[in-house]
Amino acid sequence: MKEVKVALIGYGGIARSHSAGYNALQAEGEPIRLVAACDINPDQFARKVAINTGADKGKLPENIHTYTNIEDLIASEDFDMADICLPSYLHSEYAVKLLKAGKHVLSEKPMALNTEQCDAMLQAAQEANRKLMIGQCLRFNACYLYLKDCVDSGKYGTLRHLFMERLSAQPRWGFEHWFENTEKSGGCILDMHIHDVDYARFILGEPKAVSCISLDGDVRWQIENTRMYYDNKLVVINGSWDEAATCKFQAGFRARFEKATVISDCKTVTVYPDEGEPFTGELIHSNHHITEEIRAFVHELLAGKIQSDVNPPESARASVHIIKKLRESAAHNGEIVSL
Ligand SMILES: NC(=O)c1ccc[n+]([C@@H]2O[C@H](COP(=O)([O-])OP(=O)(O)OC[C@H]3O[C@@H](n4cnc5c(N)ncnc54)[C@H](O)[C@@H]3O)[C@@H](O)[C@H]2O)c1
């Protein structure tokens, strides 16, 4: 395979960031081409959709083929890789279908609604010998990679505690209001909080135990405060889908090392050393993390790597499992649950 031909499945909110990613990568000369898009609602191909008070960034290439159902796409289109941007309750069913059809699959997070659905995806990928990766995009975000490097290099000593947050208004742009239906989205805890839970596991490994307090609003599992316990370190994460509708999406971290505090608002990183002046961290790229996630997928695919080193699907499944443990803890008023 010299060039990876991609079909985008679902052209709603986040798919706009994916199509912007394909445009950027193609402009850079990466061997990748978006050839088709599939959405049950054909109006989506022309509509503007803005998520989290942000602007719609996506524009489908003009010569692209569009479909309104997956069977027609699979039967008629020549493509190597499917990029699934469907509501979360469809991830497993569609990933399995596409893997069985011999396609490599990049699918948005969360991997699925529960570990049983994740297992069906893993089994289909293994049986078809096709690549499966889940869009845990913080693993490709330059600010979060900066922090990972601080942890790995030990340049500021050991990490002592890490505070993270990810806060937004209740998403209301989704297909048939699926975000507001906890049976379909899993609520904030599974949909958005999972980003930070997955990232903590990415840089620190598996916690010894977790605990969580959660509040319901007009949607279940809408506000979370999570603690992940490691030897001599504490990770605390706040998540909310309960901010004012006029509030901008906000995310970031504050990491205390033995010799410095490192703070990010998800756009820049500032290092505050115990000795010397604060300074702005130099980031390894200035691209959107979804662009870099797609690049990583395609580079691994072209190198013949079916199994990802950076973002294996088994690890995305483990994050779904931890969310289940957080729910168990929250059901018992924040009791500490050992893993
Ligand atoms: N990585 C991130 O930061 C991030 C951000 C937002 C959303 N997401 C994830 O991306 C996924 C999609 O979220 P969204 O905000 O784009 O949702 P959305 O509702 O805006 O988009 C989903 C699209 O799928 C289409 N669709 C529904 N059923 C279909 C079917 N059977 N066949 C074909 N098309 C169908 C809808 O018409 C819609 O256009 C979710 O899993 C969500 O959790 C990730």
Side-chain angles (χ1 to χ4, degrees), residues 145-163:
L145 287 173
Y146 189 95
L147 179 58
K148 184 176 190 306
D149 179 61
C150 293
V151 171
D152 291 348
S153 66
K155 59 185 166 188
Y156 301 121
T158 306
L159 177 73
R160 301 281 299 123
H161 50 82
L162 170 61
F163 297 148

Side-chain angles (χ1 to χ4, degrees), residues 13-14 39-40 44 88 91 94 108-109 173 175 178 191:
I14 200 62
D39 197 293
I40 199 169
Q44 290 291 82
S88 305
H91 289 180
Y94 277 69
E108 262 299 346
K109 48 46 63 181
W173 65 82
F175 172 72
W178 72 272
D191 188 87

